[in-house]
Amino acid sequence: MSMHWSRILALSCAAAAVGCALAWAGAATGVAPSVLPAPEVKITKAEADLCPTPAVTKALADQGVTLGARSPAVISHVDGRTCVRLPMTRGEFALDLSSGSVPADGAVTFTKSTGRSLSFTDVVFDFGMRNARGTVTVQGTKTLRQPAELFTLDFQLDKTKIDLTKGTAEGAASLGMGQGADSALKDAFGTSPLPSQGTVFDATAGGDVTQAAQSLSRALLP
């Protein structure tokens, strides 16, 4: 094959791949998807801000509970709210948000004025199950660790923007209380400072993504 035709073929394949990816990126924001299976994108460097709702912020203060972060997670300030920023450097998800899992590093901590503390670690956001699971650790007279459903996820598709030509993605979700986390907070503090119903954290995420070439290639096959 001549160099001229090789370049034409390569450009045609690239155009088809980008077209397919952008079609599914549109689907994630409400545009009708194509009949092709949704390609997946891999996380390379991203972060998510978990911001308590005003009602939750008041409940934490009323019960003498301080929201904190454990490295590499940090405290962030978003639109006047004190939030926890979780870094994410691995994982993948489908462009239509129907599947995939993204682990987060660090921990979300809750510390009572009495000194008793509870943390959510090993957090994994599961796009298919629409939840976040992890490990609850309670520190006090003795340390207890248990796996649990930490949050439920309700994606806000109108705020989802994935641009594979630039390799960027951003999105938002409402986080509700998972049953396991709710029970753990009640056990640790006597009563949970987070409501068992409704939104407890407004989450926004953004960062760099790369195309999962193998998944995209499968999607382009007839």
Side-chain angles (χ1 to χ4, degrees), residues 123-148:
V123 182
V124 178
F125 295 99
D126 190 315
F127 285 53
M129 297 297 293
R130 290 295 198 267
N131 68 12
R133 301 191 65 84
T135 302
V136 175
T137 303
V138 180
Q139 293 178 314
T141 56
K142 61 180 179 179
T143 300
L144 301 174
R145 290 172 58 87
Q146 62 185 44

Side-chain angles (χ1 to χ4, degrees), residues 74-97:
V74 296
I75 291 295
S76 62
H77 299 281
V78 180
D79 298 329
R81 289 195 279 178
T82 299
C83 313
V84 175
R85 178 167 294 169
L86 296 171
M88 300 174 290
T89 58
R90 60 198 187 282
E92 60 186 25
F93 62 92
L95 282 177
D96 63 355
L97 308 183

Side-chain angles (χ1 to χ4, degrees), residues 117-179:
S117 68
L118 177 148
S119 61
F120 296 161
T121 60
D122 310 316
V123 182
V124 178
F125 295 99
D126 190 315
F127 285 53
M129 297 297 293
R130 290 295 198 267
N131 68 12
R133 301 191 65 84
T135 302
V136 175
T137 303
V138 180
Q139 293 178 314
T141 56
K142 61 180 179 179
T143 300
L144 301 174
R145 290 172 58 87
Q146 62 185 44
E149 180 189 42
L150 304 178
F151 304 110
T152 60
L153 298 179
D154 184 11
F155 289 114
Q156 299 171 12
L157 297 183
D158 60 322
K159 296 181 180 180
T160 300
K161 298 178 181 178
I162 303 172
D163 189 337
L164 293 183
T165 61
K166 296 180 180 179
T168 60
E170 59 184 74
S174 299
L175 274 57
M177 207 64 212
Q179 186 173 6

